[in-house]
Amino acid sequence: MSNEKNTDTVHVAHRTAATGEIAVLTIDFPPVNAGSTAMRTALMGALEGLEPARLAGVILTGAGGNFVGGADIREFDAPAVPPHLPDIIAKIEALPVPVVAAMEGAALGGGYELALGCDARVAGPRAVVGLPETTLGLIPGSGGGVRVSRLVGEVRAIELVTSGRRVKSAEALELGMIDAIAEGDVVEAAIAHLEKMDGQKRILRELPARPGERQAVEAAKAAALKKGRGSLAVAEAIEAVRQAQTLPVGEALAAERETSLRIRRGPQSRALRHLFFAERAATKLPEGVEPGRVETVGIVGGGRMGQGIALAFAQAGLTVRIAERDATFLATAMKALETAAQDLAARGRIASAAALMERLLPGELGAVADCDLVVEAIIEDMEAKKALFGQLDQILSDDAILATNTSYLDIDEIAAATKLPGRVAGLHFFNPANVMRLVEVIDAEATTGKVLATLVALAKRIRKLPVVAKVGEGFIGNRVFAAYRRQAEFLIEEGALPWEIDAAIEDFGFAMGFFKVYDLAGLDIAWARRQRLAPTRDPKARYVEIPDVLCEMERFGRKTGSGWYDYASGKPVPDPKTEEVIAKEMARKGIEPRTFTADEIISRIMAAIVNEAALLLGEGIAARASDVDIVLVNGYGFPKLKGGPLHWAAAQPREAFLESVAAMADASGHGIEPAANLEAVLKEAEDL
Ligand code: COA
């Protein structure tokens, strides 16, 4: 291999093997060898510079631990520039000698398409291959669908392309997506494979199409469309795989490319690309701070949240000590964890329930003394939390971290109960904590940079999506959600019915209607919070009593058989009793009911969400507009195809949107005003 140290180039080295000379082309474009214009130009140059007559074969590989992490997503806003990836693949296919892709790490999207343009694919044991384009609102545009369907057949290709699933080497080999797994060095293994090919080319586009059996194809299509509800890319990917079976291969390749270029300019792809970069910006560790090691985690509180958090850590391989004051509670928690572990094993999510349980160790409070991190998940009560933090502060070593899973309480006040407030922070998980990716990492007043970096790194290590927020009622997510809830309740009091609001927001793309979520969470939880906040509530602020009345009637939601909806049939059904309560309350306040269109409902709700987001950005609770977007998408069911509330709002006609916020504020009454920084925030959100 070349000794050159320079990067942003394709290194060309020559090796003498048993069958003759082999050229090894190493793509070296940090961080992930993404297929930018510069990378494609360098690769085309390297291919054109080869002297095939002298060669027995070519190896194509990547430097820095990845093959190619896909086309360069940053260039998708601009028109495609030559040399295009299909040109490069055509060049590889036209070489008279076989070319073998030697893949470590990621060979995704355009990276896997490049590998499919080669005559064989050899991967390291930890490589991942796949076509994740639909997760970015695109379809493969360089023959991915056409070629992979010739390897795995139409039915499997539909599943692979529409899910965007990243396939590990072992499964990829089984499916035929790769030809061999390297035991040692991947380039050496690829050379050995090349030698066995005896100079024979195997050009995938020349293989016959592999149409699936009709019924199986229809079933795969239906499953994909259901999973990818509303995704244009999923529908287009299915069509591209179908055309790969029915059209002459050249036409199928051209059609796939045309679709890919067309939909990458569309709003869904822009939204999903925005979220891709938003996630990376949110999870970036601050420069110059080395995160600490965390191997043993203590969880205090074995309730539903504590159990979920314990599972999240244990599933990622950490040892977890679970502490409960009450032995019966602890036994109940361990039993629930055992059931959850068995369920995960039965669903193939973990290899063994017993192995997971070995990492979940019950004990008393003293048992967490040797932990590197303790996460508190006890009741939402300030005094109880302060007492516990005071105790933990004494028994833990000075460099252990203390985190609270509080949703609302003031972490600065909790930290003040310790001698070392710098080690106290928030880790706000979402229920169920082992399933939901989002974690708000709360940077309290005294939290040190090292503690913050350790928690962000740890959250990433357990495959969560950490978003840093400052202390403030409800942090990012619950604060915005509270504004959303308040607005939905105002709408109810003005004449929109809960099911009308739910239908409008489900149509907009929310995972579940707000009032259905409310019923699922339990009306009593928000009621308790309203009671807690009652003494400090501005008496002039508009307050909707309807949910309090429902609570007084013990309509706490799904768990009591009725809330906003009726659940007698097991499903949420509009309930005339709720309508009666609403009508009575409106009459009591002298409010004339009016009707709302779905558009009016969305306008009010989105104005409230976006305005609250601007307020919390102004207060510095969230650092970036894009952080609010990923919190809402990953924690609150906001449609990801719309890229989050601020990305969506930034794309609306500006004047009309600002007017909708003013109208929302007018309708909401005292204390709700358009945020002063609203326009600045919308400007910031115009990034994609
Ligand atoms: N285009 C442009 N930039 C990319 C990229 C791509 N396809 N893939 C990754 N990057 C950038 C990231 O934005 C990040 O940049 P930053 O350091 O400036 O924030 C950097 O590469 C490292 O990425 P990260 O995801 O943090 O590294 P990782 O080692 O955890 O994961 C990958 C590497 C390749 C698995 C992952 O980045 C990935 O999944 N990329 C997207 C793959 C894809 O969907 N390709 C299809 C495109 S159509």
Side-chain angles (χ1 to χ4, degrees):
M1 188 168 297
S2 160
N3 287 327
E4 281 176 85
K5 286 270 182 290
N6 58 324
T7 58
D8 290 352
T9 185
V10 173
H11 307 285
V12 183
H14 286 87
R15 289 272 305 264
T16 310
T19 48
E21 192 167 302
I22 291 171
V24 179
L25 272 51
T26 306
I27 303 168
D28 190 357
F29 280 78
V32 300
N33 305 325
S36 59
T37 307
M39 184 279 236
R40 296 193 311 272
T41 306
L43 181 54
M44 191 59 139
L47 288 165
E48 282 171 345
L50 295 175
E51 292 176 62
R54 278 180 49 197
L55 297 175
V58 178
I59 303 293
L60 185 57
T61 192
N66 285 306
F67 181 66
V68 170
D72 193 323
I73 304 167
R74 282 167 222 275
E75 293 187 357
F76 283 3
D77 264 352
V81 176
H84 304 292
L85 187 52
D87 305 336
I88 293 173
I89 292 172
K91 179 83 194 158
I92 292 173
E93 288 177 333
L95 282 174
V97 291
V99 181
V100 178
M103 306 180 286
E104 291 282 18
L108 296 171
Y112 185 56
E113 291 183 296
L114 181 61
L116 289 170
C118 297
D119 299 278
R121 287 142 294 280
V122 175
R126 295 225 297 277
V128 281
V129 302
L131 297 165
E133 284 85 348
T134 53
T135 64
L136 291 168
L138 304 161
I139 69 162
S142 303
V146 174
R147 290 189 179 86
V148 86
S149 67
R150 282 165 162 72
L151 285 178
V152 304
E154 183 181 9
V155 173
R156 177 63 72 180
I158 291 174
E159 184 265 323
L160 286 172
V161 179
T162 58
S163 69
R165 197 156 67 80
R166 291 153 191 238
V167 184
K168 294 186 184 141
S169 298
E171 188 192 350
L173 182 66
E174 214 173 286
L175 294 178
M177 295 174 79
I178 60 171
D179 300 291
I181 297 181
E183 283 187 358
D185 181 82
V186 73
V187 170
E188 296 306 325
I191 292 175
H193 193 86
L194 181 72
E195 301 213 305
K196 279 195 283 188
M197 291 171 77
D198 204 20
Q200 291 301 306
K201 297 275 295 174
R202 184 171 180 258
I203 299 171
L204 297 189
R205 62 175 283 169
E206 291 174 359
L207 298 183
R210 284 180 54 185
E213 193 255 315
R214 245 29 260 162
Q215 229 174 339
V217 169
E218 289 309 317
K221 269 170 63 174
L225 288 170
K226 184 161 175 233
K227 248 189 171 161
R229 181 171 82 114
S231 161
L232 176 65
V234 165
E236 292 284 13
I238 292 171
E239 178 61 12
V241 173
R242 193 188 67 80
Q243 289 184 338
Q245 316 310 312
T246 53
L247 294 179
V249 70
E251 283 176 40
L253 286 168
E256 197 190 52
R257 175 121 191 120
E258 185 279 317
T259 305
S260 153
L261 292 177
R262 172 168 48 78
I263 65 174
R264 89 178 193 186
R265 293 189 297 269
Q268 290 191 354
S269 179
R270 290 165 69 90
L272 293 168
R273 275 143 51 202
H274 161 69
L275 293 173
F276 176 85
F277 289 117
E279 283 191 13
R280 274 151 187 82
T283 58
K284 194 145 232 143
L285 291 176
E287 299 265 332
V289 193
E290 194 50 37
R293 287 293 297 162
V294 175
E295 288 311 325
T296 311
V297 179
I299 310 287
V300 183
R304 211 158 43 137
M305 266 332 274
Q307 290 166 26
I309 299 169
L311 278 173
F313 283 112
Q315 276 179 252
L318 285 94
T319 301
V320 180
R321 299 189 186 283
I322 303 157
E324 253 297 348
R325 263 192 324 202
D326 181 300
T328 326
F329 264 22
L330 186 59
T332 311
M334 293 311 293
K335 192 125 200 70
L337 285 169
E338 175 93 52
T339 310
Q342 273 157 5
D343 185 50
L344 286 167
R347 285 188 291 126
R349 304 290 299 273
I350 55 169
S352 140
L356 186 72
M357 289 311 292
E358 270 171 29
R359 293 197 290 275
L360 288 163
L361 310 168
E364 292 177 358
L365 194 59
V368 302
D370 67 345
C371 290
D372 308 311
L373 161 71
V374 174
V375 183
E376 165 275 311
I378 64 167
I379 48 162
E380 283 285 79
D381 178 275
M382 180 56 91
E383 291 317 310
K385 289 196 198 272
K386 274 161 66 174
L388 176 64
F389 272 67
Q391 262 178 302
L392 288 169
D393 195 37
Q394 308 230 326
I395 61 171
L396 287 163
S397 80
D398 283 359
D399 46 12
I401 299 175
L402 267 169
T404 167
N405 181 52
T406 183
S407 306
Y408 290 101
L409 298 181
D410 180 350
I411 301 178
D412 293 329
E413 194 179 335
I414 299 175
T418 68
K419 288 194 307 294
L420 297 170
R423 59 145 121 186
V424 178
L427 262 190
H428 181 222
F429 286 85
F430 289 73
N431 190 23
N434 60 322
V435 176
M436 299 283 284
R437 276 179 76 218
L438 181 66
V439 179
E440 288 177 322
V441 180
I442 314 303
D443 181 14
E445 187 67 38
T447 310
T448 66
K450 171 128 187 147
V451 164
L452 193 67
T454 304
L455 292 176
V456 170
L458 178 67
K460 280 172 82 168
R461 186 173 148 210
I462 66 168
R463 303 171 76 87
K464 298 284 176 201
L465 173 58
V467 177
V468 175
K470 299 273 188 197
V471 174
E473 177 82 20
F475 312 122
I476 300 176
N478 279 341
R479 161 100 176 254
V480 175
F481 188 64
Y484 167 27
R485 164 168 40 216
R486 189 171 52 195
Q487 202 52 228
E489 290 173 359
F490 291 165
L491 284 166
I492 293 283
E493 201 178 50
E494 291 167 36
L497 290 168
W499 19 100
E500 290 170 354
I501 296 178
D502 278 1
I505 58 187
E506 282 173 14
D507 260 8
F508 183 76
F510 269 90
M512 194 192 257
F514 166 73
F515 290 96
K516 288 182 196 155
V517 175
Y518 208 157
D519 273 350
L520 209 57
L523 272 64
D524 47 332
I525 307 218
W527 193 30
R529 187 164 162 260
R530 286 197 298 277
Q531 284 166 337
R532 177 165 66 76
L533 294 178
T536 52
R537 187 179 306 123
D538 181 346
K540 292 209 279 301
R542 181 172 167 191
Y543 185 80
V544 178
E545 286 83 357
I546 297 164
D548 294 351
V549 177
L550 292 175
C551 284
E552 281 154 18
M553 295 162 73
E554 297 195 350
R555 297 177 64 103
F556 293 145
R558 200 176 261 270
K559 61 186 169 193
T560 53
S562 66
W564 294 97
Y565 289 86
D566 178 79
Y567 293 89
S569 67
K571 291 209 168 101
V573 174
D575 191 340
K577 291 206 194 86
T578 305
E579 288 188 43
E580 265 172 44
V581 171
I582 296 170
K584 236 186 186 154
E585 278 301 304
M586 288 172 75
R588 183 175 70 79
K589 288 191 175 174
I591 301 170
E592 252 330 293
R594 51 159 293 207
T595 54
F596 285 85
T597 64
D599 282 351
E600 285 172 318
I601 290 170
I602 293 300
S603 164
R604 282 277 292 273
I605 299 265
M606 286 308 298
I609 289 179
V610 171
N611 199 48
E612 196 68 23
L615 288 172
L616 64 86
L617 280 160
E619 293 162 25
I621 306 276
R624 323 172 178 81
S626 61
D627 286 356
V628 180
D629 283 341
I630 50 178
V631 167
L632 269 287
V633 166
N634 291 283
Y636 298 84
F638 190 92
K640 72 171 185 261
L641 293 171
K642 291 194 162 60
L646 294 174
H647 177 83
W648 176 86
Q652 304 306 305
R654 189 60 41 94
E655 259 331 283
F657 186 76
L658 293 172
E659 276 166 26
S660 78
V661 175
M664 178 280 298
D666 265 355
S668 305
H670 177 82
I672 299 183
E673 309 264 350
N677 60 340
L678 185 58
E679 290 198 58
V681 166
L682 293 172
K683 194 107 209 81
E684 181 197 337
E686 279 171 12
D687 62 342
L688 248 181

